[in-house]
Amino acid sequence: QMQLVESGGGLVKPGGSLRLSCATSGFTFSDYYMNWIRQAPGKGLEWVSYISHRGNTIFYADSVKGRFTISRDNAKGSLYLQMNSLRVEDTAVYYCARQKMYCRSGSCDSVWFDPWGQGTLVTVSS
Amino acid sequence: SYELTQPPSLSVSPGQTTSITCSGDKLGEKYASWYQQKPGQSPVMVIFRDTKRPSGVPERFSGSNSGNTATLTISGTQAMDEADYYCQTWDNNTFYVFGGGTKVTVL
């Protein structure tokens, strides 16, 4: 049974830092691209960051670029998100999610997220 | 930037069919996925690649995508289907885009 368990959320002041972790089990972590996706209270889903299976390709949403750093430890089956210079608008539940893709002849035409973790709440407030 | 538009809310009677739309420029040329999120829970994928239903998702959930609109249809809606539903797409230029979500209420 696949499991993704996030941790590390909490209350932090604007300008502060937090490091989120996502511990996985039930699948070969090193085979999959992974993502962080967030959801502000009462709002919709917002993609935050992506990391390839070997960690050599990384992308960020413009809203977090330069402040957040995604990383992974394939030996531990874990995904991380280092969040610096936090802002009030970063307040959200942060989910880690495994990326699935359909690719043929080296070209991919679709991406989806399955499964998702239960999420960890990050609150940025003074 | 690319945007996906969903109706904020829908109401449906038990046993009826409801269709949730997701609109975006030439969305039919991309693939859409759908996620169900019940209160206090994390999202669960119910449709991928427009029409594919993963094992464990009831057959009453189906998807389509053509032109500028992807649609998630729930046939014979049940009380347990009351949830928020999000569409999502991807391509090399726009990356990952989610719709704003649709709250489905089963009256």
Side-chain angles (χ1 to χ4, degrees):
Chain A
Q1 182 186 357
M2 293 180 291
Q3 274 200 307
L4 292 80
V5 180
E6 300 93 335
S7 61
L11 175 63
V12 62
K13 288 181 168 51
S17 298
L18 275 179
R19 188 188 193 221
L20 306 184
S21 299
C22 171
T24 73
S25 60
F27 65 98
T28 305
F29 179 73
S30 57
D31 285 347
Y32 289 91
Y33 295 6
M34 296 294 295
N35 290 263
W36 288 100
I37 298 163
R38 69 184 180 183
Q39 185 172 35
K43 302 296 185 183
L45 301 169
E46 179 190 15
W47 170 76
V48 173
S49 183
Y50 142 99
I51 186 167
S52 61
H53 58 309
R54 294 194 183 98
N56 55 337
T57 302
I58 286 172
F59 294 111
Y60 299 98
D62 287 343
S63 56
V64 307
K65 202 173 294 183
R67 301 186 299 120
F68 289 11
T69 302
I70 191 172
S71 62
R72 64 190 295 160
D73 185 331
N74 284 345
K76 294 183 177 179
S78 293
L79 177 72
Y80 307 101
L81 187 68
Q82 177 67 43
M83 304 186 296
N84 298 332
S85 303
L86 281 161
R87 305 168 180 169
V88 171
E89 54 266 33
D90 294 319
T91 295
V93 174
Y94 285 73
Y95 298 100
C96 64
R98 187 181 71 165
Q99 178 168 313
K100 297 292 295 289
M101 303 182 290
Y102 182 84
C103 305
R104 275 192 307 184
S105 302
S107 177
C108 301
D109 64 10
S110 54
V111 167
W112 60 97
F113 304 108
D114 179 55
W116 300 53
Q118 88 288 347
T120 186
L121 176 62
V122 172
T123 304
V124 185
S125 174
S126 54
Chain B
S1 63
Y2 193 82
E3 293 185 359
L4 294 175
T5 301
Q6 299 180 235
S9 62
L10 286 174
S11 296
V12 58
S13 300
Q16 298 301 304
T17 294
T18 188
S19 294
I20 306 165
T21 58
C22 173
S23 299
D25 184 47
K26 298 179 182 178
L27 180 57
E29 296 179 11
K30 309 177 195 293
Y31 282 95
S33 300
W34 291 90
Y35 303 87
Q36 176 193 66
Q37 186 179 32
K38 296 182 178 179
Q41 298 184 19
S42 54
V44 174
M45 187 265 295
V46 293
I47 293 288
F48 66 101
R49 281 180 64 85
D50 292 343
T51 62
K52 309 298 185 186
R53 190 179 57 249
S55 60
V57 172
E59 290 184 8
R60 61 181 180 274
F61 289 87
S62 62
S64 64
N65 186 13
S66 178
N68 294 319
T69 304
T71 303
L72 174 68
T73 300
I74 311 174
S75 305
T77 307
Q78 299 184 10
M80 68 175 66
D81 301 329
E82 188 163 284
D84 294 330
Y85 291 85
Y86 295 89
C87 59
Q88 172 254 319
T89 192
W90 171 91
D91 70 20
N92 277 318
N93 297 314
T94 59
F95 280 11
Y96 313 88
V97 180
F98 288 97
T102 299
K103 182 178 182 63
V104 171
T105 302
V106 183
L107 297 171

